[in-house]
Amino acid sequence: MMKHTIILIIFATLWTCHDAIDTLKPGDTLNSTSSLVSALGKFTLKFITKPVGNSEMSFLAILRIKTEANKAWIANPHSPVLPSSSPILTLDFNNTLKITHQNGQPFILSAPNTTSSTSVVATLLDSGNFVLQEVSPVNGSTIRILWQSFDYPMDTFLPGMKLGVDHINEHVWSLLSWGSRDNPVSSGPFSLDWDTNAHQLKIKKSGVIYWTSGVFADGRFEYILPDVSKQRYNFSIVSNQNEDYLTYTSLDDPNDPEPEWVLYTRGALYEYGAQVDIIRAQNCDGYNTVGGCVRRDRPSDCVGKLGDDFEIKKGYFKIINSANASRPANWIGTGTEDCKVTCWQNCDCLGFDFPFGNQTTGAGCRFWSVDCAFIEDLSTATYSFVVPNSVTLPPKSPDSPPRGKINATDKGLWIGTSIAALLVIGFCICILCYRLRGTKFMLSAGKNGTKIQKKLLKFMKSERPTDHVIATENDHGNIIRHPDLSIFTYESVLAATSNFSEANKLGQGGFGPVYKGKLATGR
C-alpha cells in the first residue's frame, strides 16, 4: 500500500510540473484544459467561458491565481469562440502566435518577421505580461520583444503597464471599459487616458472629459486620495521624443494585496486589490467640479456655456412664450436630483426656484424653460438660480409701482403737468408773433433798410453793458462771463443777412446753416 501511495505522489508531482509551465515554444499548444502559469505562480493564462447572449463563449484570459480573480487581460474580446469548437492557442513553426478553432479562421495575435538563426518563445511573466520574444539560443536571454499583451490593455491597469503614447509608431496605451460588467465583447463608453501635454490622467465618456487626476506632485496626483495613491504606488512619468507615458509599481508591502486598477462600465476607477474606489467618474455630472470632476459644455444651442455658473438673483420667472406646445413652461423636480445638475443637462432649462422652500435636494425644485424670462425684483426676499446670458429683464426701481398699475394721484399729476406745458408753449408763440408784427423793416435796399442798419450799429456799441447776458458753464460747472460780448436783436440779424437769404448762406454744419451778415459800416 505504501509503495502505491509513493508512486501516485510521484506521478502527481510530475503532472503538476508539466502543467505549470510559463512558456510556449514553436510547435507547442494550449487547449481549454491546460494553462500557463508564471514562474512564481502569480498569474495564469487559460481559456475561460463567459455567457454572451444565450450562449457560453470561450475567451483566452490572463488573471491572478486567487479566488474571484479579475480578468486582467483578454486576447480575443471581440472574437469569442464556442467551447465546442475546441479553441487552441498555438505558437507555430513560423513564429505566429494564434488562436485556432474548428468553426472559422484563426485569430492572429502576432505574426512577426524573424530570422531562422534565433529562437522565439511566448512567456507569461510574473507581472501578468504575456510576451512573444526573441531569445538567445545559447543562454535563453531576451534579445528583443516582438509582441506583448501590455501593449493592448483592456479595462485593467497593472503595475508595469503604460498609459500614454509611443511617438515612434503612434501607438496609444489606454484603458477601455467593457460594454457590460460581464461582457467584454462590446466596448463601453469610458476610457482612461494619459494627457501627454498636461501630464494628467483623464477619464472620458465617448471622448468627452469627465474627470482629471490633477497635477502630479509629492508622489501623488491631486485628485487621487492620499491613502489610495501615495501609500500603495510608486508612479513614474517618462517623457521624451520616443514616448510619453505614466507607469507605476507596487510598494510591495506584504500586508497589501497586489494592485489592479479596473475601469468599470459605469465609469468607476476601482482598485481591485484593495477593494476601494479610486474615483467614481459617474458622479461627475457635468456641472460639479469636486474631486477632479470636469464641467462639461452644454449643447451648442444652449444659453450657458463651459465655465459658466448659475447666477443667484432676486426676482421671479415670467412666461413670455405660451404658444410653444412642445415643452412645458415650468415643471417640478421629481426626486432627489441636484437642481443645478438637472437644469445644466437640460438645454431647455433657463433656471429654477424653490416654491416649497426646499433647497437641499431636487425635490421641490421648480424648473423654468427658455420660453420664460427672469425679471429682477430687488424688493423680494425670494432667490432664484438663473443660467448665465439668459433673458433677464432689468430690475425695477423700488419706488416705482408695478408694471401696468398707475394710481389715481399719479395719473392726475401727469395730466396736469402736460396741460401746463402746453399753455407755456402757446404763450411763448403768441409773444413771438406779436414782436414780429411790431417790427417794420424792408428786405430791399432803401431808406427803411438804412434805418435798420443804423439800429444794428446801435446794438453793437462796445460800451453797452452786457451784465444781463446769460453766462455759460464749462465742463466742470464753473460760471464763465463774457465782458466783451456784443449782443444783437433778432430784427438786426434779419437785416444784416437780408432775411437769411440764400445769397448770404456760406454753408452748413452740425448746428445748422451759416450766414454772412453785412453791417452799415461795410463790415
Side-chain angles (χ1 to χ4, degrees):
M1 181 64 180
M2 180 64 69
K3 182 178 179 180
H4 289 190
T5 302
I6 294 173
I7 292 174
L8 288 174
I9 292 174
I10 292 173
F11 272 110
T13 304
L14 291 174
W15 175 258
T16 301
C17 293
H18 173 75
D19 191 56
I21 59 174
D22 62 356
T23 300
L24 293 178
K25 299 184 294 294
D28 288 346
T29 61
L30 185 76
N31 60 31
S32 57
T33 62
S34 57
S35 62
L36 295 183
V37 177
S38 64
L40 297 180
K42 292 185 176 183
F43 284 91
T44 182
L45 172 71
K46 63 181 180 179
F47 284 99
I48 62 170
T49 58
K50 295 186 71 66
V52 177
N54 297 324
S55 303
E56 289 286 327
M57 304 299 287
S58 286
F59 300 88
L60 181 65
I62 295 175
L63 56 159
R64 291 188 185 274
I65 301 178
K66 67 177 185 179
T67 306
E68 297 183 354
N70 171 56
K71 284 73 176 175
W73 181 78
I74 292 181
N76 56 326
H78 309 307
S79 303
V81 296
L82 291 169
S84 59
S85 65
S86 302
I88 296 175
L89 174 65
T90 301
L91 178 60
D92 65 20
F93 290 103
N94 294 321
N95 299 323
T96 298
L97 188 64
K98 58 187 177 182
I99 298 173
T100 61
H101 56 101
Q102 297 176 354
N103 296 335
Q105 296 295 319
F107 179 79
I108 306 297
L109 296 176
S110 175
N113 295 321
T114 57
T115 62
S116 57
S117 60
T118 59
S119 298
V120 174
V121 296
T123 303
L124 178 63
L125 305 179
D126 281 311
S127 62
N129 193 13
F130 186 41
V131 298
L132 184 67
Q133 56 187 342
E134 283 189 76
V135 295
S136 169
V138 177
N139 55 18
S141 61
T142 301
I143 297 176
R144 63 174 176 142
I145 302 293
L146 302 174
W147 173 93
Q148 58 182 345
S149 62
F150 272 17
D151 280 341
Y152 305 93
M154 293 287 295
D155 65 340
T156 301
F157 187 35
L158 292 173
M161 276 187 171
K162 300 175 181 179
L163 291 177
V165 178
D166 184 338
H167 293 308
I168 296 177
N169 54 27
E170 297 302 320
H171 183 76
V172 176
W173 303 292
S174 64
L175 300 189
L176 191 61
S177 65
W178 290 9
S180 63
R181 185 178 180 87
D182 295 316
N183 183 8
V185 173
S186 59
S187 299
F190 285 96
S191 64
L192 177 64
D193 302 274
W194 176 247
D195 186 334
T196 58
N197 294 318
H199 279 178
Q200 299 182 24
L201 288 167
K202 292 185 176 181
I203 293 180
K204 301 177 183 179
K205 183 178 182 181
S206 301
V208 178
I209 300 173
Y210 269 51
W211 172 86
T212 178
S213 65
V215 297
F216 181 77
D218 193 25
R220 60 175 291 264
F221 287 97
E222 182 178 4
Y223 297 122
I224 296 181
L225 298 178
D227 56 342
V228 175
S229 62
K230 190 174 180 181
Q231 299 177 11
R232 287 181 53 77
Y233 318 122
N234 283 321
F235 292 105
S236 297
I237 298 174
V238 176
S239 181
N240 54 52
Q241 62 181 1
N242 295 328
E243 52 191 359
D244 196 308
Y245 65 86
L246 168 76
T247 188
Y248 76 101
T249 59
S250 171
L251 292 181
D252 292 328
D253 187 336
N255 297 320
D256 284 343
E258 290 291 333
E260 289 181 79
W261 291 16
V262 181
L263 181 64
Y264 282 127
T265 302
R266 296 185 59 192
L269 186 59
Y270 188 68
E271 164 59 279
Y272 198 89
Q275 299 288 296
V276 295
D277 286 319
I278 298 174
I279 181 63
R280 286 184 171 269
Q282 71 268 32
N283 293 338
C284 296
D285 49 42
Y287 183 80
N288 78 77
T289 56
V290 177
C293 291
V294 175
R295 183 170 297 173
R296 298 185 295 279
D297 202 355
R298 304 180 89 199
S300 58
D301 56 344
C302 281
V303 177
K305 300 300 179 187
L306 183 64
D308 286 342
D309 203 344
F310 281 94
E311 297 174 348
I312 304 176
K313 297 182 177 181
K314 284 187 174 183
Y316 56 92
F317 292 93
K318 180 179 180 181
I319 301 173
I320 59 176
N321 180 18
S322 58
N324 191 343
S326 63
R327 60 189 170 216
N330 60 67
W331 65 97
I332 302 296
T334 58
T336 59
E337 73 272 9
D338 186 282
C339 299
K340 290 183 178 180
V341 174
T342 303
C343 187
W344 189 256
Q345 292 176 345
N346 186 347
C347 196
D348 289 339
C349 184
L350 175 69
F352 59 92
D353 55 18
F354 301 93
F356 309 117
N358 184 359
Q359 299 191 25
T360 58
T361 67
C365 292
R366 179 172 56 186
F367 301 99
W368 294 84
S369 78
V370 290
D371 294 325
C372 305
F374 182 77
I375 300 176
E376 286 189 284
D377 185 355
L378 303 180
S379 64
T380 184
T382 303
Y383 287 93
S384 300
F385 291 79
V386 186
V387 172
N389 305 316
S390 56
V391 178
T392 302
L393 300 182
K396 300 178 294 183
S397 170
D399 299 328
S400 64
R403 182 177 298 179
K405 296 182 180 179
I406 302 178
N407 55 41
T409 302
D410 292 338
K411 185 175 181 180
L413 179 62
W414 279 104
I415 294 174
T417 303
S418 301
I419 292 174
L422 290 174
L423 290 174
V424 171
I425 294 172
F427 178 76
C428 292
I429 292 174
C430 292
I431 293 297
L432 179 61
C433 292
Y434 174 78
R435 293 198 64 182
L436 289 175
R437 287 186 62 189
T439 302
K440 300 182 181 296
F441 57 90
M442 294 294 294
L443 299 181
S444 61
K447 184 171 64 176
N448 290 334
T450 303
K451 183 178 179 180
I452 295 175
Q453 292 283 0
K454 291 179 179 179
K455 188 177 180 181
L456 179 60
L457 287 174
K458 177 183 176 181
F459 279 98
M460 287 193 63
K461 291 180 180 179
S462 61
E463 63 271 13
R464 186 166 184 249
T466 57
D467 293 341
H468 62 285
V469 178
I470 298 176
T472 59
E473 290 187 3
N474 64 12
D475 291 340
H476 301 288
N478 300 319
I479 301 299
I480 301 176
R481 295 189 177 274
H482 307 282
D484 297 326
L485 179 66
S486 297
I487 61 174
F488 302 87
T489 63
Y490 185 67
E491 300 97 307
S492 63
V493 174
L494 286 175
T497 60
S498 299
N499 199 24
F500 298 109
S501 69
E502 287 295 321
N504 286 346
K505 185 174 181 181
L506 300 176
Q508 186 155 334
F511 292 97
V514 179
Y515 296 86
K516 68 179 178 180
K518 187 174 182 180
L519 305 179
T521 59
R523 290 181 62 191

